[in-house]
């Protein structure tokens, strides 16, 4: 599916080379980890000609800030050799173009702000993820639906998104602080019992209910055998069994 000539070639890792084609496809091929980069010093900095990304098998890590501000990149394909995505790897600062995120089960680590400000509409965090950075999807202005299957949700994970649907699997054991600050989310689904939900560790203002004034934040958590309801007047959660 590569059409046209080569626009640019180069290296972005000790054993990793890249080729940018006229049709906007960027191909990374080689083995091992890409380099980590600082803001503004990466080879693809603010390159609006990159429209799609293919990372070939053999590459194990996408380094820090590698594709930062490549706002025209609409799709990315990752190999099963990939285990880590670095900090700010796809951070857009302003709204980006990545519309879908399909993570292979081999990925265990994603750094902070890795997919912030992207054009994602829905995301799934698979259970194989073990280490996640904060502000993961911050200010992704089209993100309305999310499913979390890994054990821990990082702090500020969905802050500033228009999140409307959130499902947490039974695997979730810890919810980071300020997980959904500045979102319109009022209800979430937990795929476990009320007793299971009580054992989940919850960070400060995890439910976005610490502010004063007009009602906001989550007010209902639906479980298998009932639901938790937030009493805004007394600012406490109460259990309701079916």
């Amino acid at each position: 599916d590569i059409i046209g000539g080569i626009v640019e070639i180069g290296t972005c890792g000790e054993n990793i080379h890249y080729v940018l084609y006229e049709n906007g496809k960027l191909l990374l091929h080689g083995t091992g980890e890409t380099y980590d980069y600082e803001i503004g010093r990466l080879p693809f900095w603010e390159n609006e000609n990159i429209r799609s990304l293919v990372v070939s098998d053999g590459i194990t890590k996408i380094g820090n800030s590698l594709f930062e501000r490549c706002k025209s990149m609409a799709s990315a394909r990752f190999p099963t050799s990939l285990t880590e995505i670095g900090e700010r790897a796809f951070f857009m600062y302003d709204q980006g173009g990545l519309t879908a995120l399909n993570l292979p089960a081999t990925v265990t680590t994603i750094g902070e702000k890795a997919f912030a400000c992207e054009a994602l509409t829905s995301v799934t965090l698979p259970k194989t993820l073990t280490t996640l950075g904060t502000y993961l999807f911050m200010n992704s202005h089209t993100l309305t639906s999310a499913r979390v299957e890994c054990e821990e949700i990082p702090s500020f994970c969905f802050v500033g998104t228009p999140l409307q649907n959130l499902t947490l699997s039974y695997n979730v054991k810890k919810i980071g602080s300020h997980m959904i600050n500045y979102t319109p989310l009022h209800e979430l689904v937990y795929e476990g019992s009320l007793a299971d939900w009580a054992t989940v560790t919850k960070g400060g203002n995890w439910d976005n209910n610490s502010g004063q004034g007009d009602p906001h934040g989550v007010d209902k958590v639906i479980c298998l055998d009932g639901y938790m309801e937030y009493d805004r007047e007394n600012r406490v959660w109460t259990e309701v069994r079916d």
Side-chain angles (χ1 to χ4, degrees):
D1 57 350
I2 295 173
I3 301 172
I6 293 174
V7 175
E8 183 181 342
I9 61 174
T11 60
C12 56
E14 185 175 352
N15 297 303
I16 299 176
H17 305 272
Y18 68 84
V19 183
L20 177 60
Y21 294 89
E22 285 180 337
N23 69 340
K25 183 180 293 294
L26 178 66
L27 172 64
L28 268 59
H29 60 96
T31 58
E33 303 180 355
T34 74
Y35 296 132
D36 289 326
Y37 290 93
E38 297 179 4
I39 298 173
R41 302 184 66 179
L42 53 142
F44 315 118
W45 176 253
E46 295 186 340
N47 189 332
E48 296 185 17
N49 295 319
I50 300 173
R51 294 192 288 275
S52 63
L53 169 68
V54 175
V55 181
S56 69
D57 191 43
I59 295 175
T60 58
K61 177 186 176 182
I62 295 174
N64 296 349
S65 294
L66 183 57
F67 302 111
E68 187 165 347
R69 301 200 190 188
C70 294
K71 66 179 183 180
S72 298
M73 185 188 294
S75 66
R77 194 166 74 207
F78 305 122
T80 54
S81 58
L82 190 68
T83 61
E84 183 175 353
I85 298 174
E87 298 177 3
R88 304 171 67 97
F90 293 86
F91 179 51
M92 288 300 108
Y93 182 74
D94 197 1
Q95 193 65 19
L98 195 63
T99 59
L101 179 61
N102 297 305
L103 296 171
T106 50
V107 175
T108 60
T109 303
I110 304 178
E112 73 168 22
K113 299 181 182 177
F115 295 99
C117 303
E118 283 289 8
L120 303 165
T121 57
S122 65
V123 295
T124 296
L125 295 178
K127 63 182 180 180
T128 48
L129 291 170
T130 58
T131 306
L132 295 173
T134 56
Y135 297 95
L136 204 55
F137 301 105
M138 175 186 70
N139 293 342
S140 293
H141 300 306
T142 55
L143 184 60
T144 58
S145 180
R147 175 178 174 80
V148 180
E149 299 174 348
C150 51
E151 287 194 6
E152 183 173 348
I153 307 174
S155 298
F156 300 95
C157 186
F158 303 107
V159 64
T161 68
L163 195 65
Q164 299 175 17
N165 300 289
L166 177 60
T167 299
L168 309 184
S169 82
Y170 172 75
N171 292 326
V172 174
K173 306 301 181 189
K174 183 177 181 179
I175 298 174
S177 60
H178 309 282
M179 170 186 68
I180 53 169
N181 273 23
Y182 307 108
T183 73
L185 188 71
H186 283 281
E187 180 177 293
L188 66 83
V189 175
Y190 172 66
E191 297 175 336
S193 67
L194 287 165
D196 295 329
W197 177 252
T199 67
V200 175
T201 301
K202 306 169 184 72
N205 195 33
W206 70 271
D207 54 6
N208 197 27
N209 279 314
S210 67
Q212 304 291 332
D214 295 334
H216 63 291
V218 172
D219 50 29
K220 191 173 187 179
V221 177
I222 301 172
C223 300
L224 295 177
D225 54 350
Y227 59 91
M228 298 295 297
E229 187 174 53
Y230 188 67
D231 180 346
R232 296 198 182 280
E233 182 177 352
N234 296 303
R235 304 177 69 82
V236 294
W237 282 95
T238 58
E239 183 181 285
V240 179
R241 292 190 171 272
D242 290 338

